[in-house]
Amino acid sequence: MPLSGPKDEPVVLNLDSWSKLTLVEQKVLGAIFHKHAGQPFSSLLPREQWAIEGLSVAEAKSSFANLRQQRWIESVYKSWGERLFYIPALLMETLTIAYVQRVGIIVEQMAQHAHVLQEGKPDIAGELLHLVAWIGREGLPLTGKGTIHKRTVQKLSVVTVLSSTDFEGLGIQYEHSDVYPTHVAILIDLLLSLNLVEKSDGQIQIADHRLQQWLKLSWSQMHREIYQACMERYGDAEPALQHFRYQLAVFAPEKNIWCHIENSELKPRVRGWLSALAGWGYGDVGVNQSGDLEFRWLIEPHSLLYKDQEMVTETEPCGFYMQPDFEMLVPPEARPDVIWMLEQCAERVTRDQMSIYRMTKERFLLGIARGYGLHEMMEFLDQYALTGIPENVRIVLEGWGKETDAAPLNVERKMKVMEASTGSTDDSKLLEKEVLGSVHSSFYTPYNQGLVDVPASLRGLERDHSVMEKKFSLLGFEEIPETWYREWRRYHSSTARQIAAKAIEWQTKLGIRQENRTQYLIPHQVEGHEQWTLSGWCMLDSSEHTSKTEWRTFSPSEWDTMRLILPDDVLT
C-alpha cells in the first residue's frame, strides 16, 4: 500500500512538476509506478524490462538517482543496512493521472443505472464520534494479555451500525482475532491510528486534547482523514489493487454517479474493498445487467484526496428538531461538535439519514457531571433546537438540573470511570507525543501500533537521507578515450569490439550509423573475436515517446561509425 514514509517533510510535487521531468525520467517513474504502485521495493527492474521501455540500465539508474534527489522516490534503511525504496503516498494521486494510459483504465463513468447489491451505511465519522463518547462513559480496561475484556467487546459489537460482514472480503490480519470481531478490530484500530485514543496504564483511554482538535474539523475533513487511514491500513497491498483504489477516487466524476469497474481477474478482492467502502458509508455497491461490478460514491470522491484539501468555510449552524417526547431528530447536516454534545446529554436511538437521539435523566445528569453546567446545556439546546425546546421538556430538564447537587451514586461511579478513560489534558506524554505520517494529515499516523497488521509497514525504519545522489557515475569512465562517447567515428574491428564490450559492462546504449541511417542498441552479448557479432535490443522507432524494441544480432560490417550513448549526468 502507499507509504508516507517516516517523518515525512513537506514536498510539493504535482502534474506540473511531473511535466518538467525529462522524458527518460518520466519513463523510469512510470515503469516503477506501474510495477510497484506504492509498495516498497529493494531493486530496479531487470535489464530486459528496461529494454522493453527502450532504456538502458545506465539510463534507468541515472534517472532513478535524479528522481530520488527530487523526492519522487523515497528510501529507508532496514536494520541490517538494506535499503527499501517507495513512492510516497502523497504522489499516488498525481501519478494515477499521469500514467492512466500506461496502467490502463480500471474505473470509468457509466451512463446506465445499476442494481444495488449493498447500500452504504451511515458514515464512519459519526460512528467514531459515537464510539469515543461510549468509551468516555464506559471505559476500556485491558486484561493482563493486553486485550479488551470479552464482555466489553460484546457491547462494542452492538453499539455500532457496522458489522463484520461488511469487511469479510478484506482479509485483514490482526492479533487476537478470536477476541475481536473484524468490525470491532477496525474501529479500535482507526481510533488508535487517528490518535484519538491510546493504550496507557492497562486501558485504552481518550486522548482528550487530540479529540478537541478533531471536533473542530468539518465532516468532510474527518472523512478524508479516515479514508486515508482505511486506504493505507486495510486495502490489499497488491499494486494492481492499489491502482484500482486510487482510480476509483481520482476518476469518479462526482458522487451519486455509477462507475464501472474494469477488471474481472481482481473481481473478488475488488468486491471486498467496495463492500468495505459501503460499510464505512462512502458509497453503494451495485451490478449491471452483465453482472459487472458498479460503485457510486455517497461522498464527493475528490474531497477525499490529498490534492483537494481546501480551506473549509463555516456554514450556517444546523441543529436538530426537539420533540415533546424528548426525542431529537438530527439531520445529516448537523456539525460534528453538535453531534458530540448530543452524545454527552442524550442516548442515540437510531442512526440513518435522519438520526434520532432521546434525552434521558441519567444521560443528562452524566453530561452535567462531566462538567457541562445546566446553563451551558440549556444554552446549547436553545441554540441548536431549530424549532425551540418544547415547554414541557424545558421544565423537566431544569428540574433534573436542580438535582445535580445530590447526583445519584451510580452517576458518580460512572464519572470516575469516564475521567479515568479520558485522561488529563495536561498529561505531558499526550502533549509531547509526536504525530508522524503525512504532512497533509494532522491526525492519522501510519506507524501507530494499532490492532491490525499493516502490510509492508515501514514502522520504525530510518529515513535514508545520505544517499540522494545528485550525479550518476560509471566505474572507470575517466580511463576511456573521450572520442568513444563524444564523436561518431569508424574504428578498427578490435577497438569497436572494446567499445561494444564497454557498453555491455556499463549497461548503456550504443549508437551505430550506416550511410544516413542511425540505430540505437542496448547490447547484451559479444560473441567471437576476429569475426565477432553483437546481439541485443534494437530501437525500432525514431520517436522517444514510444518504445518499440526488437532482439537482433549485428556484425561490425553492418555499420560505418559508432559511439557510446551515455546518460547526461555522466557527461556534466
Side-chain angles (χ1 to χ4, degrees):
M1 52 194 53
L3 300 164
S4 301
K7 300 182 181 179
D8 276 346
E9 299 168 6
V11 179
V12 180
L13 295 173
N14 49 32
L15 279 174
D16 184 56
S17 307
W18 176 84
S19 67
K20 294 175 183 176
L21 295 174
T22 68
L23 208 52
V24 175
E25 288 169 349
Q26 289 180 3
K27 283 186 176 183
V28 171
L29 185 58
I32 292 170
F33 175 72
H34 190 185
K35 171 75 173 178
H36 299 292
Q39 281 290 91
F41 57 98
S42 58
S43 60
L44 290 180
L45 302 179
R47 175 171 52 178
E48 294 77 9
Q49 290 297 312
W50 291 124
I52 292 173
E53 301 288 336
L55 301 175
S56 67
V57 171
E59 285 178 304
K61 286 183 176 179
S62 173
S63 293
F64 185 73
N66 293 336
L67 291 168
R68 290 188 60 211
Q69 200 271 330
Q70 296 174 63
R71 300 190 65 177
W72 289 94
I73 307 286
E74 299 281 12
S75 62
V76 292
Y77 280 124
K78 298 182 79 170
S79 57
W80 51 91
E82 181 188 357
R83 243 178 252 149
L84 287 178
F85 307 100
Y86 62 94
I87 295 174
L90 288 175
L91 305 181
M92 291 292 289
E93 293 152 14
T94 292
L95 299 185
T96 294
I97 297 170
Y99 295 113
V100 61
Q101 296 303 322
R102 181 190 178 97
V103 171
I105 297 175
I106 306 169
V107 176
E108 59 182 357
Q109 179 181 343
M110 294 297 292
Q112 65 192 57
H113 294 288
H115 170 67
V116 177
L117 295 178
Q118 183 180 353
E119 290 186 355
K121 291 187 174 180
D123 68 88
I124 181 65
E127 280 304 290
L128 291 188
L129 281 186
H130 180 61
L131 184 58
V132 172
W134 187 89
I135 292 172
R137 292 188 298 271
E138 304 292 334
L140 276 185
L142 301 174
T143 67
K145 295 181 179 180
T147 62
I148 302 170
H149 290 273
K150 285 188 177 181
R151 184 175 296 178
T152 306
V153 171
Q154 291 171 353
K155 292 180 180 178
L156 279 171
S157 296
V158 297
V159 298
T160 174
V161 297
L162 275 65
S163 68
S164 290
T165 55
D166 298 326
F167 310 108
E168 287 177 345
L170 292 182
I172 61 173
Q173 303 295 317
Y174 56 96
E175 281 191 296
H176 307 296
S177 57
D178 57 325
V179 176
Y180 302 120
T182 308
H183 68 297
V184 172
I186 287 177
L187 285 169
I188 299 299
D189 186 74
L190 276 174
L191 291 180
L192 287 167
S193 63
L194 290 166
N195 294 288
L196 298 178
V197 302
E198 68 173 14
K199 292 182 180 180
S200 177
D201 301 325
Q203 63 182 324
I204 294 178
Q205 65 179 15
I206 298 170
D208 192 60
H209 69 295
R210 301 296 290 162
L211 173 61
Q212 297 309 314
Q213 295 174 33
W214 179 258
L215 293 173
K216 294 176 184 177
L217 301 183
S218 66
W219 288 121
S220 177
Q221 290 169 318
M222 287 182 179
H223 292 153
R224 178 164 51 231
E225 294 277 340
I226 297 167
Y227 180 73
Q228 295 297 338
C230 292
M231 283 270 283
E232 291 199 19
R233 301 183 76 81
Y234 317 124
D236 194 304
E238 184 176 326
L241 289 162
Q242 288 187 46
H243 290 311
F244 151 68
R245 290 197 298 274
Y246 275 93
Q247 286 197 17
L248 187 63
V250 171
F251 296 133
E254 57 186 86
K255 68 178 182 180
N256 296 324
I257 294 181
W258 287 104
C259 292
H260 178 58
I261 313 300
E262 291 275 2
N263 203 315
S264 57
E265 293 180 7
L266 300 174
K267 187 173 181 178
R269 287 181 288 172
V270 165
R271 172 64 196 274
W273 177 251
L274 297 181
S275 294
L277 288 180
W280 291 314
Y282 285 114
D284 296 327
V285 183
V287 64
N288 64 16
Q289 293 180 345
S290 302
D292 299 322
L293 282 175
E294 312 279 336
F295 184 80
R296 65 179 173 193
W297 291 96
L298 299 177
I299 294 172
E300 286 294 347
H302 295 174
S303 71
L304 303 172
L305 304 177
Y306 283 128
K307 66 184 181 65
D308 283 341
Q309 295 198 61
E310 74 292 338
M311 293 297 293
V312 177
T313 56
E314 288 295 325
T315 57
E316 288 296 319
C318 180
F320 45 83
Y321 301 92
M322 197 158 196
Q323 307 297 302
D325 61 359
F326 293 83
E327 285 192 344
M328 290 165 282
L329 308 180
V330 187
E333 296 80 19
R335 293 200 319 247
D337 55 347
V338 174
I339 298 297
W340 178 254
M341 279 296 292
L342 289 176
E343 289 281 352
Q344 307 313 305
C345 64
E347 293 181 353
R348 191 174 82 176
V349 179
T350 61
R351 180 157 186 261
D352 209 325
Q353 288 301 311
M354 182 73 77
S355 298
I356 299 175
Y357 283 79
R358 180 184 293 117
M359 192 75 73
T360 66
K361 182 176 182 180
E362 182 181 25
R363 189 61 60 82
F364 189 76
L365 294 180
L366 195 59
I368 293 177
R370 188 176 181 182
Y372 300 103
L374 174 62
H375 174 74
E376 185 179 357
M377 297 278 270
M378 298 306 295
E379 191 175 70
F380 163 74
L381 296 174
D382 277 325
Q383 181 177 358
Y384 290 103
L386 298 176
T387 53
I389 305 174
E391 192 60 29
N392 69 306
V393 174
R394 182 183 297 276
I395 292 171
V396 171
L397 295 182
E398 289 177 348
W400 289 347
K402 293 176 182 178
E403 300 178 21
T404 54
D405 291 338
L409 186 60
N410 66 329
V411 173
E412 292 179 353
R413 287 200 185 110
K414 286 193 175 184
M415 275 306 303
K416 290 179 180 178
V417 173
M418 181 204 61
E419 288 169 358
S421 65
T422 302
S424 168
T425 56
D426 295 326
D427 188 330
S428 60
K429 291 182 181 179
L430 293 179
L431 289 173
E432 294 174 7
K433 182 172 181 179
E434 181 183 14
V435 179
L436 306 179
S438 162
V439 297
H440 289 261
S441 172
S442 57
F443 291 91
Y444 172 50
T445 303
Y447 308 103
N448 269 15
Q449 182 65 55
L451 299 186
V452 173
D453 298 329
V454 181
S457 173
L458 300 184
R459 183 189 296 115
L461 300 185
E462 179 186 354
R463 167 69 66 75
D464 175 11
H465 291 284
S466 62
V467 290
M468 292 187 178
E469 304 97 331
K470 295 184 179 180
K471 185 177 179 181
F472 176 73
S473 61
L474 297 173
L475 184 63
F477 171 70
E478 298 82 3
E479 300 172 5
I480 67 170
E482 190 171 332
T483 53
W484 284 15
Y485 57 86
R486 292 289 186 191
E487 301 175 12
W488 292 90
R489 294 186 61 174
R490 180 190 297 273
Y491 293 96
H492 184 273
S493 176
S494 60
T495 305
R497 189 180 187 283
Q498 284 183 282
I499 295 173
K502 185 59 70 174
I504 293 172
E505 176 191 340
W506 284 344
Q507 300 187 82
T508 188
K509 284 181 180 175
L510 187 69
I512 58 174
R513 281 181 177 174
Q514 188 171 45
E515 297 179 349
N516 294 324
R517 186 186 182 193
T518 301
Q519 291 180 291
Y520 295 95
L521 316 178
I522 300 175
H524 175 70
Q525 187 176 22
V526 171
E527 294 184 287
H529 292 278
E530 293 292 335
Q531 301 296 321
W532 59 276
T533 59
L534 173 65
S535 57
W537 294 270
C538 178
M539 309 294 109
L540 297 180
D541 53 274
S542 57
S543 170
E544 292 183 341
H545 291 271
T546 57
S547 302
K548 294 179 182 178
T549 59
E550 182 178 281
W551 181 266
R552 287 188 179 179
T553 300
F554 294 85
S555 66
S557 62
E558 294 182 63
W559 67 80
D560 299 322
T561 61
M562 65 188 300
R563 77 176 179 93
L564 289 170
I565 309 297
L566 302 182
D568 292 339
D569 277 8
V570 178
L571 304 178
T572 55

